[in-house]
Amino acid sequence: MSTVHAPTARTREKPSGDEEAAADLKLGEFQSVPTLTLSEARLLINAVMDHRKSIRKVEETDVLMKTQDYLDVFARFKQKENIEAVERMLSAKQELELFERSQLGSLCCETAEEAKTLIPSLSNKISDSDLQELLDDITKLRNFVE
């Protein structure tokens, strides 16, 4: 006699759209939406918060503080000049989707193979040698002491 146990977790709802970041990038309504690298998001949030603090007292919510902590840890570039330089390099690659560019700027992959594994939609858009050259240029800007 077998015993049927109750599920230990709730069933997940299917995503409402057909978004998929696989070999064929399907972002639905977000396909052409501008995206930011983690470094750009950190720069933007810090600038907005500094501006708001200069005008009036700002209450920092728990979510905002956790977001800032996350970005402080995972943003690969801290200096504005380096963030802008990476954005210029990525913007020059018009064959890449905005999402793919921001992922490359956030992940800072070491090899073209790693980048194409983590961002499968890159596979047929850019050659390994061109991608490796881009990744090497991005790595040169990365300052581990920042």
Side-chain angles (χ1 to χ4, degrees), residues 72-92:
D72 285 342
V73 171
F74 293 105
R76 303 290 189 185
F77 303 96
K78 310 289 192 225
Q79 296 175 344
K80 183 179 180 183
E81 299 78 24
N82 290 349
I83 295 168
E84 291 171 346
V86 169
E87 172 57 23
R88 281 191 301 275
M89 280 186 242
L90 293 169
S91 293

Side-chain angles (χ1 to χ4, degrees), residues 37 76-77 82 85-93 95-96 99-119 122-123 126-144:
T37 65
R76 303 290 189 185
F77 303 96
N82 290 349
V86 169
E87 172 57 23
R88 281 191 301 275
M89 280 186 242
L90 293 169
S91 293
K93 298 294 181 186
E95 67 271 26
L96 303 180
F99 173 81
E100 294 163 333
R101 293 182 213 165
S102 65
Q103 290 300 296
L104 286 170
S106 290
L107 294 171
C108 291
C109 300
E110 292 184 19
T111 66
E113 179 183 4
E114 179 186 12
K116 288 184 176 184
T117 299
L118 295 174
I119 312 166
L122 293 175
S123 293
I126 186 170
S127 70
D128 284 354
S129 60
D130 288 346
L131 181 55
Q132 188 61 56
E133 183 180 338
L134 174 64
L135 296 173
D136 291 344
D137 290 343
I138 290 172
T139 300
K140 288 175 190 172
L141 292 172
R142 197 158 164 218
N143 183 350
F144 292 96

Side-chain angles (χ1 to χ4, degrees), residues 8-20:
T8 58
R10 294 181 289 157
T11 57
R12 291 188 179 188
E13 290 182 29
K14 283 249 185 207
S16 60
D18 62 349
E19 294 87 8
E20 184 179 341

Side-chain angles (χ1 to χ4, degrees), residues 35-52:
T35 56
L36 299 174
T37 65
L38 295 176
S39 300
E40 290 170 320
R42 178 182 175 274
L43 183 69
L44 181 65
I45 289 174
N46 288 342
V48 168
M49 291 308 296
D50 289 345
H51 176 71
R52 287 182 180 172

